[in-house]
Amino acid sequence: MKKAIGMVEFKTVSSGMRAADCMVKTAEVELLQADTVCPGKFLALISGDLSAVKAAVEAAAQQEAEQLIDRFVLGNPHDSIFSALFGSAEIDSPNALGVLETFSAAAAVVAADTAAKTALVDLIELRLARGMCGKSYLLLTGEVAAVEAAIEHAKQGAGEYGMFLDSAVIPRPDKKFWQKIL
């Protein structure tokens, strides 16, 4: 995986598709995701060298500025972001559960990266706007103090543009509950 990722999130499918095309034409980037999410929004996630990702995200954001919801560029994303995004995270011994919900998909990814870099936690899932009416959330686990610290820092990252919605730390979730979310 390349060392930088970026995302643009748009209000409409047509503007999102034009933006995704613009990104891959602007710089040498890999298009990891380009699809429609609830409620008819469009996300495009790219990876590549930092300068290429910055240029591509900026070009797309400028081209479709009226429809832009949110965007980000992460120069050195935490490795666990990818398994949480693509549903391949393996959690052997869950402990406390941290949940953070945002108004945008981009804010959830930034919050997850912040959380993973703050404390010794495992990202479980990053749900980006699917079945959420455009909202997104992240799930993580670890020792209670680590989860609390990670969620607190992640709230600040997601709240930078007013995209933080809600969060919770559940110290000892019941095993029956864990079975449903893992």
Side-chain angles (χ1 to χ4, degrees):
M1 188 61 56
K2 305 275 177 136
K3 280 299 182 185
I5 60 172
M7 177 185 279
V8 288
E9 182 175 355
F10 291 94
K11 296 175 194 172
T12 67
V13 174
S14 57
S15 61
M17 287 188 173
R18 280 192 305 264
D21 181 64
C22 172
M23 289 180 1
V24 296
K25 288 178 177 174
T26 297
E28 187 63 37
V29 294
E30 180 182 354
L31 195 57
L32 300 175
Q33 178 182 354
D35 55 4
T36 306
V37 294
C38 295
K41 297 182 346 179
F42 194 89
L43 302 178
L45 176 66
I46 59 171
S47 69
D49 294 330
L50 181 58
S51 59
V53 171
K54 281 183 179 178
V57 167
E58 188 58 34
Q62 285 181 3
Q63 177 180 302
E64 302 295 331
E66 288 185 28
Q67 299 300 327
L68 181 68
I69 294 171
D70 204 355
R71 67 179 178 215
F72 74 81
V73 173
L74 292 174
N76 190 19
H78 194 274
D79 289 337
S80 63
I81 290 286
F82 301 101
S83 59
L85 270 172
F86 299 116
S88 60
E90 294 183 21
I91 307 301
D92 296 325
S93 55
N95 201 333
L97 174 66
V99 184
L100 187 131
E101 193 171 349
T102 64
F103 286 111
S104 77
V109 177
V110 171
D113 185 62
T114 301
K117 289 176 178 174
T118 296
L120 188 56
V121 294
D122 293 312
L123 294 177
I124 300 169
E125 181 181 6
L126 248 167
R127 174 74 56 97
L128 301 182
R130 293 198 194 296
M132 301 272 303
C133 291
K135 299 183 298 182
S136 297
Y137 70 85
L138 67 97
L139 300 176
L140 55 86
T141 188
E143 297 296 323
V144 175
V147 169
E148 287 174 342
I151 290 294
E152 191 57 39
H153 280 86
K155 284 168 48 175
Q156 294 169 12
E160 186 175 336
Y161 299 106
M163 293 295 176
F164 170 73
L165 178 59
D166 197 10
S167 67
V169 174
I170 304 170
R172 289 176 302 281
D174 187 271
K175 288 182 183 182
K176 294 174 194 169
F177 178 64
W178 271 122
Q179 290 172 351
K180 292 296 180 190
I181 62 172
L182 289 181

